[in-house]
Amino acid sequence: MKSSLWPGIKLVFTKEFTLGLRFKAAWWAMLMFALTTLACVSMALQGAPLEPKLAAALLWIILFFASMAGADRSFADEDMAGTLPTLKLYGAAQMVLWGKLLYTGFLLLCLTVFIAPLFLLLTGAEVVLGGVFLGTLLLGTLGISAAGTLIAALTCGAQVKSGLFSILMLPVILPVFLPAIFLTAGALGGGSAPLSYLIGMALYDGVLLMGASVLFDYLWYED
Amino acid sequence: MRAILGLLTLLVLGLVFFVVPPAEGLGYYVRLAFFHIPVAWVAVLAFFISAFEGGRFLQKGEMMADAKSAAAAQLGFFFVILATVSGAVFSKLTWGAYWNWDPRQTTIFVLLLIYGAYLTLRGAMPAGRKRAKAAAVYALFSFLTVPFLVFIIPRLYFSLHPSPVINGSGLAMDTVMLIVLIAALVDVTGIFYGLYKWQVKRLLAEEVDVCAK
């Protein structure tokens, strides 16, 4: 990333953040979705103990689908408001991509910080390996942000949007999703948590970021 | 071409049902492998072609490359369903369960999800360059999963799958079976190629129709 890009990225991030604070729709959608799902899980369990593997899978399912409720709006909202052509006119592709990606990452991190402790509290799961747990959450969030931003741009012109984002996201995010569940289970005391999986997740995140950066130019600029 | 493929198909069927000996531990169930392995191979091949042609479209902007990418994905979806179903039947016959998230079952299932997602994306967008661009970007973006599907996901699950035909110690198959398998691979690849050419023509004609309207 060129250093001259940074002011533009900051501008896009600030714009997203200000709009997010003003309208809050995406924030509420994500937080309430996560809370509702978590409440469903917790009520269904009625305090029964959860196997670490099952707890890990449930946590990631909640995070994944809650993130879908907010991450898919980054370009669709601009398209609906009619601001996309202006952004295309003044914003270079990489500035827009990285600015929106940072904002999505920030949004998902806030969601994770809100939902993970609540999940542990309500399900009674205990973290045995704190570092692995935090590292997995961080890398998982990064992967979802990277793939989510590009896919949000892809689905922008689609006639049928409902569900499309999750359909496109799941296969791409599986190489992050599956090790994340495996590592989280390990962090909750359910088996091993090999460092190589964390490295694998970090590598895949890097590949997703690079792929999104290279491919976004084709979507952003008209022929 | 059609006549040669027809003859080859008959020959392969004859070899599978009358020449191939029963395999150790599998008996005559091994016959299913001569259908399952070739269709799985074609499903993977179609995925590579779809991504490659998607890349060509992004570079050159030719609608022909888009049609080729879409045709490969459509046929790939068909072949990946055949591979998944035949794999599940094979799994039931040999391991007692239709599905057990074996690493290769997982990989083929992810491929099925990718093809499904690609086709859903195309279906959700109006025909034209914008759809072609989005589809090409998704074909390439989903292609990034391949190394991880091959190297990481298989380590997450226990496998009952037999080792590959060509493994670290060389060729691990009876000579007759190997020859029949190669013939079946050539035959199914040929069938895919014939269908692919036909589908590309059909998609290009459809695109011309839409543009004319």
Side-chain angles (χ1 to χ4, degrees):
Chain A
M1 204 191 313
K2 288 178 197 163
S3 59
S4 58
L5 275 177
W6 182 239
I9 294 170
K10 249 184 4 185
L11 266 179
V12 175
F13 178 84
T14 312
K15 175 192 87 70
E16 295 289 318
F17 186 70
T18 313
L19 281 175
L21 278 181
R22 200 175 292 166
F23 299 113
K24 298 185 187 75
W27 290 72
W28 281 117
M30 276 169 63
L31 292 181
M32 287 314 295
F33 187 94
L35 196 64
T36 313
T37 324
L38 182 56
C40 284
V41 169
S42 186
M43 273 185 239
L45 286 171
Q46 294 278 315
L50 260 182
E51 281 281 306
K53 263 190 179 175
L54 191 60
L58 282 174
L59 176 64
W60 278 100
I61 287 169
I62 294 172
L63 286 174
F64 177 76
F65 283 102
S67 68
M68 298 298 103
D72 66 331
R73 305 174 70 93
S74 51
F75 288 90
D77 282 354
E78 301 254 14
D79 195 25
M80 269 172 63
T83 54
L84 205 55
T86 318
L87 196 62
K88 278 193 174 181
L89 197 64
Y90 292 106
Q94 295 302 308
M95 286 176 189
V96 174
L97 172 79
W98 288 97
K100 282 187 180 278
L101 200 150
L102 275 182
Y103 177 71
T104 308
F106 170 73
L107 206 62
L108 296 187
L109 217 56
C110 291
L111 171 82
T112 311
V113 167
F114 170 72
I115 215 70
L118 212 57
F119 179 85
L120 295 175
L121 194 84
L122 289 175
T123 58
E126 274 180 40
V127 179
V128 181
L129 302 168
V132 173
F133 187 64
L134 288 177
T136 308
L137 287 177
L138 200 69
L139 289 173
T141 308
L142 181 65
I144 294 175
S145 318
T149 311
L150 184 80
I151 288 173
L154 267 182
T155 53
C156 198
Q159 287 164 327
V160 185
K161 285 197 178 72
S162 153
L164 184 62
F165 188 74
S166 338
I167 293 168
L168 296 177
M169 268 293 277
L170 187 63
V172 174
I173 209 68
L174 269 175
V176 170
F177 197 59
L178 294 177
I181 293 173
F182 196 82
L183 285 166
T184 308
L188 297 177
S192 62
L195 190 68
S196 58
Y197 286 8
L198 266 178
I199 297 170
M201 276 178 80
L203 261 174
Y204 190 66
D205 283 354
V207 169
L208 282 180
L209 287 169
M210 212 164 64
S213 174
V214 170
L215 294 169
F216 188 72
D217 281 0
Y218 293 106
L219 289 174
W220 195 243
Y221 298 116
E222 301 292 334
D223 292 326
Chain B
M1 175 79 176
R2 276 185 195 175
I4 294 171
L5 271 178
L7 280 175
L8 185 59
T9 306
L10 285 175
L11 178 71
V12 169
L13 283 173
L15 288 171
V16 168
F17 283 99
F18 302 109
V19 177
V20 167
E24 202 182 311
L26 289 174
Y28 280 111
Y29 291 151
V30 77
R31 285 169 180 161
L32 194 56
F34 298 94
F35 173 76
H36 173 65
I37 298 172
V39 291
W41 147 252
V42 165
V44 176
L45 177 72
F47 182 52
F48 280 91
I49 294 173
S50 181
F52 176 75
E53 292 297 340
R56 268 174 45 121
F57 172 79
L58 290 180
Q59 279 204 321
K60 300 189 174 167
E62 292 165 0
M63 288 308 278
M64 176 65 140
D66 173 57
K68 283 182 174 175
S69 178
Q74 286 170 354
L75 290 169
F77 188 62
F78 171 70
F79 277 95
V80 86
I81 289 174
L82 291 180
T84 310
V85 173
S86 59
V89 172
F90 207 37
S91 168
K92 176 73 179 168
L93 294 172
T94 55
W95 307 326
Y98 284 108
W99 205 264
N100 62 5
W101 291 110
D102 172 88
R104 276 173 234 179
Q105 278 185 329
T106 309
T107 310
I108 209 84
F109 190 72
V110 176
L111 208 57
L112 182 91
L113 288 180
I114 292 174
Y115 280 132
Y118 176 93
L119 296 176
T120 311
L121 177 68
R122 285 190 79 89
M125 295 186 89
R129 300 193 75 78
K130 197 170 178 181
R131 178 180 76 174
K133 219 187 246 187
V137 166
Y138 189 71
L140 283 168
F141 199 52
S142 56
F143 191 70
L144 297 176
T145 57
V146 172
F148 292 84
L149 289 178
V150 175
F151 298 112
I152 291 187
I153 292 183
R155 292 176 63 193
L156 292 175
Y157 299 97
F158 167 75
S159 179
L160 285 167
H161 228 98
S163 61
V165 174
I166 300 171
N167 56 31
S169 56
L171 288 170
M173 208 179 204
D174 174 86
T175 316
V176 175
M177 283 188 184
L178 188 66
I179 291 168
V180 177
L181 180 64
I182 292 169
L185 282 169
V186 171
D187 183 40
V188 176
T189 310
I191 292 171
F192 166 74
Y193 183 66
L195 289 170
Y196 175 65
K197 277 197 340 188
W198 175 75
Q199 187 70 348
V200 171
K201 267 188 202 164
R202 210 178 64 84
L203 288 177
L204 275 176
E206 259 180 31
E207 195 78 37
V208 170
D209 275 357
V210 171
C211 290
K213 283 173 191 168

